[in-house]
Amino acid sequence: MKKLISTKMGFFAIAVVLLWLKTYIIYSTEFSLGVSGAMQQFLLFFNPLSSALIFLGLALFAKGRKAGLFIILIDAIMTFILYANVVFYRFNSDFITIPTLMQTDNFGSIGGSIADLVQGQDLFYALDLVLLIVLFIKMKSNWSVTRMKIRKPLTVIVAGVIAFSVNLGLAEADRPQLLERTFDRNYVVKYLGAYNFTIYDAIQSAKTSTRRVLADSDDITQVENYTKYKYAAPNEEYFGKGEGKNIIKIHLESFQSFLIDYELHGEEVTPFLNSLVHDESKNFTYFDNFFHQTEQGKTADSELTMDTSLYGLPQGAAFVTKGTNTYQALPAILDQELGYTSSVFHGDGKSFWNRDEVYKHLGVDEFYHADFFDMSEDNVINYGLKDKPFFEESMPYLENMDQPFYAHMMTLTHHHPYLIDEEDASIAPAETGDGSVDRYFQTARYLDESLEQFFNDLKEKGLYEDSIIMIYGDHYGISDNHNRAMEEITGEEITPLKNAELQRTPFFIKVPGVEGQGTNHSYGGQVDVMPTMLHLMGVDAKDYIQFGTDLFSEDHEEVVPFRNGDFMTPEYSSVNDVFYDNETKEVIENPTEEMKKQKEEVLKELELSDEVLYGDLLRFYTPNESWTPVDSSDYFYGTPEEEGIVKSSDSEEIKQPEDIQDMEPATTDETE
């Protein structure tokens, strides 16, 4: 036995077994893959084998002792891929895709979040590599320096291919059309494994990159017919009521609706936001069944969806991979239809999520990024500028905007891992023992306080009364990897349905001169915001390609698709291909044909939206005679000096010399 182990094939066998077992342990302990039944349990255990045989088997073609070095190297690469997914999954409950890896500009800004996700016990995942290195050093002297006969490595590769074929056959039997309908990456990993998913994702990414080249004007017709059919006519009571008013859109980072009216240690966590819900004199309408519809792009997905009424992509972020597409977005429409200027305020680097490029294609006039704010150490935590100085320093820029304007204010402090300085924390953390969940309430309170401060400043500067105020949560803050702690917080078991219900994010809106509705229980999502806003501004949304419908319309469709193909309605929900009764929370064992048809409709809608983005189909579509395609070269986001903005020494006044304000936009060469 000792002699067998000391051979090259023995070393290979040890490497295969160690990688196989390590992968299975990680699947079982790190990922929530929804495994049920003996077949799925078997496939979860079996699927790493084919990858280990094929990839490590390639090293056996190397000459002599180099085979051992290549086994260790390939094992290390596979371990890195697996561990990178572990860290990514701990926050995102998802797996890394090729488009995600293209978002390299974001890496510098997420260092703190990644550090919080790395755990001491992770060293265990490198133990097999250490063992292999020790064994190689001890055994290599016994190995032949010649190349082994080609028959052995070929046999290993063929065995791996057979193992994969068996794996795929069993997976397709348990989950038909597994690779044709891949809205949920969990399924692919559960059935085929993380390594095979990486290869599959690379193939899919290569396919999607060719779709724009092959697309033509005929492809937009089906999309147009679908959106025209789904269109909901405006409610005459609200149509045009916001015309001529400023729009101030406030982004609540990682804010979930369960925070509204939640009490911790006997205190309201968000007293100011609660007052907007319950104080009728403030004239807000609060949608308590509003859901985020983001995927891997998270914040970037929410921005895209709310300004274009398109869904984010199933993989990566369209802001990055489709940043140069043709868009017909809210900033450009408001400009062309109503003469609005637009701006985005964000206390982070301008290239994060490729914003400095994609905003030009959305028609955003001004982008106030980190260069425009005081990013001193006292003002910055986690991802960027703290919310209170962010709002305070944004006011002078806001005051100097040409009216009417569309201003998007993006907060940052309430972001994983929810770090907060002691002097900024005005409520004690929760006591679940889960750091992210416990601190979540402290940064939410800080955000709530900063929002109240901003409202007071708007009133003082005379901007509040004449502005539409829109407030929204961009995506979840607590993923399903924190279910134990969330069960303590909510007092309920976090079932798949409950987790879907927790994807509610707040949506508030106040329109000057319009009486607020208080709490509106209609079901809706981020895809519905753009048609809602257009109708409030007196612009009929029917001309534009939009997958959402006006939230105030009597014909609004109360079906909320999630990016993975799940969906919610007022009566029932579909989660992981299981239907639930929303009232009883019980599984619907025999769903009706109407429910099944609705599922197909949701999948069709997501596919059509993907076609628009992958094929850049809006370049073939003209919504009306007055529409002019956005020319990105008309926009330039520079430093304050390049923009002609001079900050006074007391940081309270922004001066814009007239001669600089009237400058022509930069040329294409300057912007590129």
Side-chain angles (χ1 to χ4, degrees), residues 107-125:
F107 292 168
S109 295
I110 61 176
S113 187
I114 292 175
D116 187 71
L117 296 168
V118 174
Q119 300 173 3
Q121 63 266 29
D122 295 349
L123 291 172
F124 169 76
Y125 301 144

Side-chain angles (χ1 to χ4, degrees), residues 374-604:
D374 176 7
M375 303 295 287
S376 60
E377 185 176 348
D378 290 342
N379 277 2
V380 172
I381 195 168
N382 202 11
Y383 273 63
L385 189 63
K386 295 180 183 179
D387 295 342
K388 289 182 179 179
F390 165 70
F391 280 124
E392 182 180 357
E393 294 183 33
S394 295
M395 281 304 304
Y397 299 119
L398 203 58
E399 281 185 277
N400 280 276
M401 286 187 65
D402 291 334
Q403 299 189 35
F405 59 70
Y406 175 50
H408 187 185
M409 320 295 297
M410 301 186 66
T411 62
L412 271 172
T413 307
H414 188 53
H415 193 295
H416 183 270
Y418 312 109
L419 305 178
I420 189 167
D421 292 327
E422 186 176 349
E423 64 269 20
D424 292 325
S426 59
I427 190 171
E431 298 174 348
T432 68
D434 184 319
S436 291
V437 174
D438 292 348
R439 295 188 300 270
Y440 185 76
F441 299 93
Q442 293 182 294
T443 51
R445 166 66 72 83
Y446 177 81
L447 173 55
D448 187 72
E449 292 170 349
S450 69
L451 195 61
E452 182 175 20
Q453 164 203 303
F454 183 53
F455 272 47
N456 290 335
D457 290 343
L458 289 173
K459 292 174 182 176
E460 181 183 336
K461 301 299 182 181
L463 291 173
Y464 182 82
E465 293 299 332
D466 206 36
S467 297
I468 295 173
I469 308 289
M470 183 204 311
I471 307 170
Y472 73 98
D474 64 335
H475 56 75
Y476 68 77
I478 305 297
S479 72
D480 55 10
N481 289 309
H482 302 273
N483 281 353
R484 179 202 61 78
M486 284 301 293
E487 287 179 350
E488 289 189 38
I489 294 299
T490 63
E492 300 179 48
E493 180 185 359
I494 307 299
T495 63
L497 175 61
K498 181 62 179 178
N499 182 64
E501 292 174 337
L502 284 170
Q503 303 314 303
R504 288 180 171 90
T505 54
F507 183 70
F508 296 81
I509 192 164
K510 175 190 78 72
V511 182
V514 176
E515 185 176 348
Q517 296 181 353
T519 301
N520 184 314
H521 301 302
S522 298
Y523 274 59
Q526 292 169 335
V527 75
D528 299 314
V529 172
M530 183 183 180
T532 302
M533 292 305 300
L534 286 179
H535 285 170
L536 284 173
M537 306 310 292
V539 177
D540 197 328
K542 192 171 187 177
D543 288 346
Y544 298 94
I545 299 295
Q546 298 175 19
F547 288 94
T549 58
D550 181 353
L551 290 165
F552 290 112
S553 172
E554 294 178 1
D555 300 323
H556 168 63
E557 184 173 303
E558 293 189 77
V559 178
V560 186
F562 293 159
R563 182 57 264 194
N564 65 356
D566 295 343
F567 65 94
M568 309 286 286
T569 76
E571 294 80 27
Y572 65 91
S573 302
S574 172
V575 182
N576 298 334
D577 284 338
V578 177
F579 287 91
Y580 294 88
D581 184 299
N582 287 354
E583 183 176 354
T584 66
K585 313 300 181 186
E586 298 294 327
V587 173
I588 299 174
E589 299 292 351
N590 297 300
T592 65
E593 289 302 314
E594 178 187 350
M595 293 177 183
K596 296 176 183 177
K597 184 179 178 181
Q598 186 61 69
K599 176 73 173 179
E600 293 301 318
E601 190 76 6
V602 164
L603 296 178
K604 176 184 177 182

Side-chain angles (χ1 to χ4, degrees), residues 151-166:
R151 176 175 52 84
K152 286 187 178 180
L154 279 178
T155 301
V156 169
I157 300 297
V158 169
V161 171
I162 292 172
F164 175 75
S165 300
V166 171

Side-chain angles (χ1 to χ4, degrees), residues 346-350 367-375 393 397 637-642 647:
H346 192 39
D348 197 0
K350 66 178 181 179
F367 180 21
Y368 297 100
H369 46 81
D371 291 351
F372 290 80
F373 299 99
D374 176 7
M375 303 295 287
E393 294 183 33
Y397 299 119
Y637 310 135
T639 64
E641 292 74 21
E642 289 169 327
K647 213 172 195 180

